């Protein structure tokens, strides 16, 4: 069981609810996070959640996860999924198992979204299930 779980949200996910609701849904990020916090509480699991628009801050959170003994990471790196060797390297460095989550199905979208710098080093990837993808990832992480 994982006791210490970190959820990272990448750039522009702070605009959920406003941002392209036909693709990303109507829920705000705070609604999604609140729901996940309730599940974590039910299982007495410590869930830390951060959103950032900056690649370097996300890298720092991954480094901090090593020192604070995070057992499992759930990450929606958003646009950095398709560009960031730095986030990939950070995840490889700390060797903490992680699940990559995307709200939309990245394979149904523009070709530049079809590649991920993270998926081949992830434990698994959930794409296209909307907010349910986070819940599935969290339940998996708790059991892991
Ligand atoms: C996303 C998909 C990415 O391609 C996009 O850049 C995002 C969100 C998703 O959750 O569907 O910002 O990661």
């Amino acid at each position: 069981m994982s006791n210490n779980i970190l959820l990272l949200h990448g750039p522009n996910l702070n605009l959920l609810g406003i941002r392209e609701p036909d693709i990303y849904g109507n829920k705000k990020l705070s609604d999604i996070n609140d729901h996940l916090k309730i599940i974590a509480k039910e299982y007495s699991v410590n869930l830390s959640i951060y959103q950032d628009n900056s690649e370097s801050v996300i890298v720092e959170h991954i480094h901090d996860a090593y020192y604070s003994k995070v057992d499992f990471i759930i990450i929606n790196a958003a646009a950095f999924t398709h560009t960031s060797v730095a986030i990939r390297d950070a995840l490889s460095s700390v060797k903490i198992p992680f699940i990559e989550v995307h709200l939309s199905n990245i394979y149904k979208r523009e070709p530049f979204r079809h590649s991920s710098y993270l998926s081949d080093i992830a434990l698994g990837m959930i794409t296209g299930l909307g907010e349910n993808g986070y819940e599935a990832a969290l339940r998996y992480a708790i059991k892991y």
Side-chain angles (χ1 to χ4, degrees), residues 11 13 19 24 76 78-79 82 102-104 106 109 113:
L13 293 172
R19 178 189 184 197
Y24 297 114
N76 183 349
H82 319 298
H102 299 285
L103 292 153
S104 63
I106 58 173
R109 301 185 62 196
R113 295 185 204 275

Side-chain angles (χ1 to χ4, degrees), residues 62-80:
I62 295 167
H63 295 179
D64 290 348
Y66 175 82
Y67 294 109
S68 57
K69 303 208 183 319
V70 164
D71 302 308
F72 205 101
I73 298 174
I74 299 164
I75 182 166
N76 183 349
F80 293 144

Side-chain angles (χ1 to χ4, degrees), residues 24-41:
Y24 297 114
N26 293 306
K27 284 236 171 112
K28 292 191 287 186
L29 188 63
S30 56
D31 298 332
I32 294 174
N33 289 342
D34 287 347
H35 176 65
L36 298 174
K37 283 180 206 158
I38 291 169
I39 296 169
K41 204 173 172 194

Side-chain angles (χ1 to χ4, degrees), residues 45-62:
V45 160
N46 176 38
L47 174 66
S48 308
I49 307 178
Y50 300 98
Q51 186 278 328
D52 214 282
N53 295 317
S54 148
E55 184 177 22
S56 64
V57 175
I58 294 170
V59 167
E60 300 286 353
H61 281 305
I62 295 167

Side-chain angles (χ1 to χ4, degrees), residues 124-141:
M125 188 224 244
I126 301 172
T127 186
L129 304 187
E131 59 181 295
N132 300 300
Y134 289 111
E135 178 172 341
L138 177 60
R139 289 189 187 280
Y140 186 93

